[in-house]
Amino acid sequence: MAGNQTYYSFEQLARRFNKLADDIPKACTSWTQKTALACGWTIIENTPEDKGYAEGNWIASIDAPVLSPVGMKSDTWHQVEGYYPNPQAGKTQSQEQLKRIVSKFNAKTNTSIYITNNVGYIIMLNNGWSKQAPRFFVEKSLRNPLLK
């Protein structure tokens, strides 16, 4: 004996599939934005702070990474959307730029969000060069937001 079953016409089924197809990119966009924001924010927060140069060089971009340092010690800042160098702003500036760029991501038209830091000593900082942050602070920063 069959239970309560719902039967759909092909037209009804097509409408349901079309709605589902519309909802997938929206869900992907939302999830990607939330994940990128949480990961980027945590990395910026955990970056050792001296003059703000390393903190201020976490740069978010869509579909292609920024490949050179920006601001304070470089003149390439004008190449980065939403980034206006201010030596005193470091962390805050990176976080504001992260929010602006991540909010523009759309899964229908974009493929990736990059969060890069190209200062010459960021690898040394991540390897424990500064007493302000543990070794592998980048990897550790990514672990917590991704587990939530």
Side-chain angles (χ1 to χ4, degrees), residues 3 13 46-48 51-52 61 63 76 101 112 132 138:
L13 192 56
N46 291 336
T47 302
K51 294 181 173 55
S61 57
D63 292 338
T76 59
I101 297 303
S112 320
Q132 295 180 17
V138 172

Side-chain angles (χ1 to χ4, degrees), residues 25-99:
K26 292 175 191 170
C28 289
T29 295
S30 176
W31 183 86
T32 302
Q33 287 174 333
K34 288 176 186 174
T35 302
L37 193 56
C39 290
W41 200 273
T42 304
I43 291 170
I44 295 165
E45 283 291 324
N46 291 336
T47 302
E49 180 180 358
D50 182 20
K51 294 181 173 55
Y53 186 55
E55 289 174 312
N57 261 282
W58 288 110
I59 304 299
S61 57
I62 295 176
D63 292 338
V66 173
L67 299 175
S68 61
V70 296
M72 286 111 38
K73 294 183 181 180
S74 142
D75 62 356
T76 59
W77 64 270
H78 62 277
Q79 299 172 5
V80 180
E81 180 183 353
Y83 191 88
Y84 309 99
N86 176 349
Q88 284 73 45
K91 180 184 294 187
T92 304
Q93 184 170 272
S94 283
Q95 290 169 330
E96 291 302 316
Q97 192 265 353
L98 175 71
K99 286 192 295 188

Side-chain angles (χ1 to χ4, degrees), residues 72-140:
M72 286 111 38
K73 294 183 181 180
S74 142
D75 62 356
T76 59
W77 64 270
H78 62 277
Q79 299 172 5
V80 180
E81 180 183 353
Y83 191 88
Y84 309 99
N86 176 349
Q88 284 73 45
K91 180 184 294 187
T92 304
Q93 184 170 272
S94 283
Q95 290 169 330
E96 291 302 316
Q97 192 265 353
L98 175 71
K99 286 192 295 188
R100 280 193 306 274
I101 297 303
V102 166
S103 71
K104 295 178 181 182
F105 178 83
N106 183 327
K108 281 188 174 182
T109 56
N110 304 120
T111 59
S112 320
I113 296 175
Y114 289 85
I115 303 169
T116 56
N117 191 318
N118 293 295
V119 299
Y121 56 90
I122 195 68
I123 293 171
M124 291 189 300
L125 287 176
N126 195 44
N127 286 333
W129 187 44
S130 172
K131 293 181 178 143
Q132 295 180 17
R135 190 170 180 194
F136 304 124
F137 75 91
V138 172
E139 291 84 346
K140 290 175 182 178

